[in-house]
Amino acid sequence: MVELFRRTMIGQRIGLGAVSLGLFGISVIIVYTFKALGGAAVIADFFELLPEGMKAILHAQGGFATDAEGYLAADYRIPPYLVAISAFVIASTSGAVAREIERGTVLMLLAAPVARWRFLAAKVAALVVGIATLAVSALAGTWVGLMLTGVEGVSMATFALIQVTTFAFAFSIGGIGMLVSSLTSDGGQAMGITTAIVVVMFFVDFLSLLWEPAELLGPLAVFHYYDPLSVSVADALPLADVLVLMTVGIVGTAAAFVVFQRRDITR
Amino acid sequence: MSSPAILLNGVTKHFGSVEALRGVDFDVQRGEVFGFLGPNGAGKTTAIRVLTGFISLDAGTAQVLGFDVGRESVEIKRHLGFLPDTISFGRGLTGEAFLNHIGRLHGFRGAPPMQRELLDRLELSSSALKRGVKGYSTGMGKKLALVQAMQHDPELLILDEPTESLDPLVRQTLFELFRDLQKRGTTIFMSSHVLADVEEICERVALIRDGRVVRFGPVDDLRVGRVRTMQVTLREATDAFAVEGGRVVERDGRVVRLAVEGDINDVIRGLAGYDIEDVLYERMSLEELFLGYYRGDEGEASADAPEGQYG
């Protein structure tokens, strides 16, 4: 299992490195935008001018903390950030099983005395390490941005908690992706299906915040439970949300183990 | 007494409405080189994937080295070397990194015991191994895949089309290697649609068609009862040529072609009455035998090829 994990990490090193660097850069830039907009003095007015749709994306309809911390926390939900995390997780999970079957690499790997569950466990472990790396990269970007700009009043402990929720959010998508990947024999198909699920969930969450009749659907989307701003406001980990996200991830992953153990590898 | 290397009993597998394997029975004894013949789509790869635990059974039983393929797949793979029909090494690997990766999956920290010998015999140079597998030719890729299958010195080799993409020289080297491995006690199960390969190296074969084993037994026995041909060149042409046991199928001046359907001794005795310049007796090739089974003539095939073991 260690060997498969090592091989998977080597295989994803370039993608993981690129996305980590991207998240690091986004996090640094976000701190700079706080300063560029005029800092805390004008940030409340700036947010008031935002359209409702944008507030919904940021999960900020209840209002903002008008300080740097609130601004930076809310920006962890901006689309580039979400897309970067989702893209890595979707690519990683579709490559875990479906792509290996599509390419035929799984045939030689599983011809070795490696149980299927160990094979998948190595893939899940690599995914977890990848997600953790992304979270740490974003956190490091925020810290470097704060150091470079001199923006004050931001607790790195709070942002560490935000990254815990980011990890849980990404892992929930990972669980869905692993299940889809275990069900299919085509990497492109797995990627397409998982992307479709994630995009639909994003819009379900978005719509539930803007349109009252859709409000009940909100909890069906993992995005509903990813709310960095609320972590900043409460200065505490939203345990219920993290629990839901981790449950989705664990259940999806467990289902993937069951499916992969039983399925035929026919391609 | 040890169990057979491979034992299939009534193995059936469906993919939706398609019946890929229909009650497949055969056994492979330890230490033999066994050929598994069939045209594309006959069920060879499905059967191989059943043996290697990639595909589950709908009915029947399958054992490899005495272990159940469904429940004890990992145990089987401790003693197995496998060459799949689809060869893919993964991205960004050199040949050396790939072999060592597979070796580590088999529990070897350094190079597996047979790696050096196999690389030398199959002429995969150190410089080639340092290169990315992406740049390998099809033949080189095949050689690398063969090395990964054999480098850990497995008890049983299951090889899906091992000679495909290999040039004739490498093919001969591979067969020498197989013979040496057999002397060391290795069992080799190889699928192929290259009949000459099977004829050259295998002791017994199973012929599969439409998911059903239509012939199973020693290669030589498969020819028993089948029509052979004899070409007789007479010193002088005659229209009255006739011998017992041989049916004239073609006549071209002094050259007569006979279909030998009965006892060859009858034909030889009959030929003694003629002034003969030359005789060419063609041992029936597996190719001809194969075509007899697979030509698509259901009636002929089922009449000539009763199911199950013989010989």
Side-chain angles (χ1 to χ4, degrees):
Chain A
M1 192 173 117
V2 173
E3 175 60 18
L4 281 170
F5 170 74
R6 192 187 71 85
R7 187 68 247 157
T8 307
M9 288 305 296
I10 290 172
Q12 72 178 21
R13 69 190 187 283
I14 295 174
L16 179 60
V19 178
S20 298
L21 202 61
L23 290 181
F24 177 87
I26 290 171
S27 300
V28 172
I29 290 167
I30 285 172
V31 183
Y32 270 96
T33 61
F34 177 76
K35 205 167 182 183
L37 287 170
V42 295
I43 211 73
D45 295 339
F46 171 76
F47 278 127
E48 284 308 314
L49 293 173
L50 287 179
E52 284 303 304
M54 192 61 203
K55 288 180 184 173
I57 286 176
L58 300 176
H59 264 213
Q61 289 179 312
F64 290 91
T66 54
D67 55 9
E69 190 171 286
Y71 173 84
L72 298 179
D75 279 344
Y76 272 101
R77 270 191 62 105
I78 60 172
Y81 194 85
L82 297 178
V83 167
I85 290 177
S86 302
F88 168 78
V89 173
I90 291 169
S92 180
T93 54
S94 65
V97 178
R99 188 81 70 194
E100 296 268 23
I101 294 174
E102 179 191 347
R103 290 186 175 141
T105 43
V106 75
L107 295 175
M108 281 195 262
L109 297 177
L110 286 181
V114 178
R116 287 193 190 187
W117 72 265
R118 285 182 184 275
F119 175 88
L120 196 58
K123 301 291 184 177
V124 172
L127 174 70
V128 166
V129 170
I131 293 171
T133 304
L134 297 186
V136 169
S137 299
L139 189 63
T142 300
W143 182 77
V144 169
L146 292 171
M147 292 298 108
L148 292 175
T149 58
V151 171
E152 293 179 340
V154 177
S155 161
M156 287 311 293
T158 302
F159 275 80
L161 294 179
I162 288 173
Q163 291 312 329
V164 171
T165 66
T166 302
F167 177 90
F169 166 69
F171 185 63
S172 68
I173 295 175
I176 295 165
M178 278 292 176
L179 177 58
V180 172
S181 189
S182 297
L183 284 164
T184 57
S185 302
D186 183 309
Q189 198 177 60
M191 192 178 276
I193 293 170
T194 310
T195 302
I197 292 170
V198 170
V199 169
V200 166
M201 284 200 296
F202 177 81
F203 280 104
V204 163
D205 177 52
F206 183 56
L207 204 62
S208 72
L209 294 168
L210 290 177
W211 190 38
E212 208 175 319
E215 202 176 311
L216 285 174
L217 296 175
L220 296 176
V222 291
F223 290 87
H224 178 82
Y225 306 96
Y226 180 53
D227 193 354
L229 183 59
S230 72
V231 180
S232 162
V233 171
D235 204 13
L237 197 65
L239 280 176
D241 287 352
V242 170
L243 194 65
V244 169
L245 291 171
M246 290 304 290
T247 301
V248 171
I250 290 167
V251 168
T253 304
F257 274 94
V258 173
V259 168
F260 186 54
Q261 187 69 30
R262 294 180 178 181
R263 69 165 291 176
D264 289 337
I265 297 173
T266 51
R267 191 150 176 145
Chain B
M1 188 177 156
S2 63
S3 56
I6 293 173
L7 181 61
L8 294 184
N9 194 358
V11 170
T12 300
K13 179 68 187 177
H14 297 83
F15 294 112
S17 60
V18 177
E19 207 170 10
L21 296 176
R22 298 190 284 176
V24 171
D25 300 306
F26 65 81
D27 67 85
V28 178
Q29 295 304 312
R30 292 188 189 233
E32 79 170 312
V33 182
F34 190 94
F36 194 42
L37 275 170
N40 292 334
K44 297 192 302 290
T45 295
T46 301
I48 283 175
R49 292 201 183 181
V50 164
L51 294 173
T52 45
F54 290 116
I55 290 178
S56 60
L57 306 178
D58 290 339
T61 58
Q63 288 189 341
V64 173
L65 301 170
F67 299 107
D68 182 89
V69 295
R71 294 192 312 273
E72 298 165 298
S73 172
V74 174
E75 196 53 46
I76 289 169
K77 288 167 186 172
R78 290 189 207 288
H79 311 277
L80 175 70
F82 176 54
L83 176 77
D85 59 326
T86 310
I87 294 173
S88 183
F89 303 107
R91 291 174 301 170
L93 285 171
T94 64
E96 186 177 37
F98 171 74
L99 289 179
N100 290 336
H101 174 49
I102 297 293
R104 279 193 288 270
L105 290 178
H106 280 277
F108 294 97
R109 288 200 175 273
M114 282 189 66
Q115 190 186 87
R116 189 71 262 157
E117 179 191 347
L118 291 164
L119 291 173
D120 289 343
R121 292 181 72 166
L122 292 172
E123 295 180 351
L124 272 169
S125 65
S126 298
S127 61
L129 288 175
K130 301 278 184 213
R131 295 202 330 253
V133 287
K134 199 177 173 185
Y136 278 24
S137 67
T138 312
M140 275 181 70
K142 190 68 168 220
K143 288 197 272 187
L144 189 71
L146 282 162
V147 173
Q148 71 80 30
M150 297 185 275
Q151 63 177 353
H152 54 286
D153 196 13
E155 207 174 316
L156 169 67
L157 280 169
I158 295 182
L159 309 171
D160 202 348
E161 305 279 0
T163 56
E164 201 171 55
S165 312
L166 295 180
D167 65 50
L169 286 175
V170 179
R171 185 174 149 270
Q172 283 308 315
T173 304
L174 187 64
F175 286 165
E176 284 166 23
L177 193 55
F178 285 174
R179 290 187 189 101
D180 289 348
L181 288 172
Q182 189 187 18
K183 282 177 197 159
R184 297 183 207 176
T186 307
T187 307
I188 300 171
F189 176 89
M190 59 179 273
S191 83
S192 183
H193 59 257
V194 182
L195 306 163
D197 291 352
V198 172
E199 192 163 28
E200 183 170 344
I201 191 79
C202 297
E203 294 147 359
R204 293 196 304 157
V205 296
L207 273 62
I208 187 168
R209 190 188 72 174
D210 295 336
R212 197 185 294 275
V213 172
V214 293
R215 274 295 199 190
F216 168 45
V219 172
D220 290 337
D221 286 5
L222 290 176
R223 298 191 185 91
V224 172
R226 306 292 299 193
V227 175
R228 291 144 290 168
T229 59
M230 181 179 282
Q231 181 174 296
V232 181
T233 307
L234 301 165
R235 288 203 190 278
E236 287 180 18
T238 172
D239 290 338
F241 182 87
V243 291
E244 193 180 336
R247 178 168 51 85
V248 177
V249 292
E250 193 181 333
R251 199 187 293 264
D252 182 13
R254 293 185 298 123
V255 179
V256 181
R257 282 183 72 84
L258 297 173
V260 180
E261 292 164 326
D263 188 342
I264 186 69
N265 291 299
D266 292 340
V267 179
I268 291 168
R269 278 191 287 271
L271 289 176
Y274 294 90
D275 189 8
I276 292 170
E277 185 179 294
D278 193 19
V279 172
L280 182 64
Y281 182 59
E282 293 168 340
R283 184 169 174 258
M284 189 185 191
S285 72
L286 202 54
E287 183 91 28
E288 289 168 301
L289 179 78
F290 189 81
L291 289 174
Y293 287 118
Y294 296 121
R295 204 167 271 144
D297 184 340
E298 289 285 339
E300 184 196 332
S302 54
D304 287 353
E307 219 182 313
Q309 185 172 5
Y310 82 105

